[in-house]
Amino acid sequence: MQVNRRESVIERKCILIAKARNWMEVKLERCNKNGMPDRMLMKNGRLIFIEFKNDKGALSEIQKHRHEELRKHGMRVYVVRSEILMEAVLDENEL
């Protein structure tokens, strides 16, 4: 496995995996809430949020706060660093 890949590369490959498994995805940009995860994925009534980070990437304080806020509202939020982890997240969330 390649180390220190760009987050954009990880995100692009993981989204291809999600789409191949029939997940609908929305890229969350220019949101009125700073720190929102990168993507929202939906399938069969399930909604999950994904933040992509490379091996060295760390969540900012606002990202930590926003993830916790989403979890308090019953949302599932994941930090994904590889395609293998993305597969596991999707496996866990497919009904």
Side-chain angles (χ1 to χ4, degrees):
M1 184 162 106
Q2 190 176 357
V3 180
N4 292 329
R5 293 184 298 164
R6 292 176 55 132
E7 288 175 12
S8 61
V9 172
I10 296 166
E11 181 174 1
R12 186 171 47 252
K13 289 182 177 186
C14 288
I15 291 305
L16 287 174
I17 291 167
K19 286 181 176 181
R21 292 174 64 162
N22 297 314
W23 284 81
M24 179 181 170
E25 59 86 21
V26 175
K27 185 171 179 73
L28 299 174
E29 324 181 84
R30 299 181 189 212
C31 183
N32 67 335
K33 299 276 188 190
N34 291 336
M36 286 296 287
D38 296 316
R39 300 277 180 147
M40 183 171 58
L41 298 176
M42 297 155 278
K43 183 177 180 181
N44 297 332
R46 178 63 54 106
L47 171 67
I48 60 175
F49 291 89
I50 308 289
E51 179 69 38
F52 295 99
K53 292 291 183 190
N54 65 21
D55 291 338
K56 303 264 183 194
L59 293 174
S60 68
E61 289 304 314
I62 189 65
Q63 286 174 320
K64 290 176 188 175
H65 169 76
R66 195 65 64 210
H67 291 192
E68 183 59 31
E69 183 178 49
L70 287 165
R71 287 182 180 113
K72 284 181 182 177
H73 286 280
M75 297 293 105
R76 292 174 180 231
V77 183
Y78 300 89
V79 177
V80 172
R81 298 176 186 276
S82 70
E83 295 89 343
I84 293 169
L85 184 54
M86 184 69 175
E87 292 276 7
V89 167
L90 297 177
D91 287 346
E92 178 181 318
N93 285 282
E94 288 183 340
L95 303 174

